[in-house]
Amino acid sequence: MIIGLGSDLCNIERIQASIDRFGDRFEQRVFTEVERAKAARRPFTKAGTLAKRFAAKEAFSKAVGTGFKRGVFMKDIGVVNAPSGAPTLLLTGGAKARLDALTPDGHVAVVHLTMTDDHPWAQALVVLEARAVAERPKDET
């Protein structure tokens, strides 16, 4: 069952302006170490890489229905890649606590994330699914 849905559109030039103005202070306040390392490996598309991740954080905060309130902070939401390469979210702190609170008993939360960019825009969509513990994903046999 779907327990949350959020989307966000972020202007890449706005992220670049924040990088130019605040530098490391901005990046360390908003992004995880994994996200900063990934962006550093992409110097020509660094702002786009970070903008997609910024949009993912915003989309998650909308999907859980709090925005960045009630203990949900940007650095508690990190974009990582699953072994398949697909992007997903690694949640800690208040972000994980909020998702856990939304997840019904007997279910496990599954986060679906897609991101894209086309300068000057970056977009992310988050779908939060509650899957019954006994239920197996359709792609597993």
Side-chain angles (χ1 to χ4, degrees):
M1 90 180 74
I2 304 299
I3 58 173
L5 174 67
S7 69
D8 191 67
L9 188 63
C10 180
N11 188 291
I12 296 169
E13 293 172 2
R14 185 176 132 230
I15 297 299
Q16 183 63 59
S18 293
I19 293 168
D20 293 344
R21 183 171 179 195
F22 301 109
D24 278 348
R25 199 170 87 208
F26 167 70
E27 291 179 43
Q28 289 182 12
R29 191 179 122 247
V30 175
F31 301 101
T32 67
E33 183 61 38
V34 169
E35 292 170 321
R36 292 193 312 270
K38 183 153 202 134
R41 291 191 302 271
R42 300 173 170 179
F44 296 109
T45 59
K46 180 179 180 176
T49 297
L50 292 176
K52 285 187 286 190
R53 282 144 184 81
F54 191 95
K57 294 167 188 285
E58 290 276 358
F60 174 83
S61 76
K62 293 171 184 176
V64 295
T66 61
F68 293 105
K69 298 178 191 172
R70 300 208 258 171
V72 177
F73 299 105
M74 284 201 161
K75 281 194 64 171
D76 291 343
I77 307 162
V79 175
V80 296
N81 293 92
S84 67
T88 189
L89 296 176
L90 178 64
L91 305 170
T92 60
K96 182 176 180 337
R98 179 64 182 151
L99 180 57
D100 290 346
L102 287 175
T103 306
D105 290 339
H107 290 73
V108 63
V110 179
V111 176
H112 303 276
L113 168 65
T114 186
M115 303 181 298
T116 190
D117 66 297
D118 187 5
H119 195 84
W121 300 106
Q123 180 183 25
L125 175 70
V126 171
V127 176
L128 303 177
E129 174 189 4
R131 189 176 290 164
V133 174
E135 183 180 333
R136 293 177 58 121
K138 291 181 175 126
D139 61 341
E140 289 184 15
T141 54

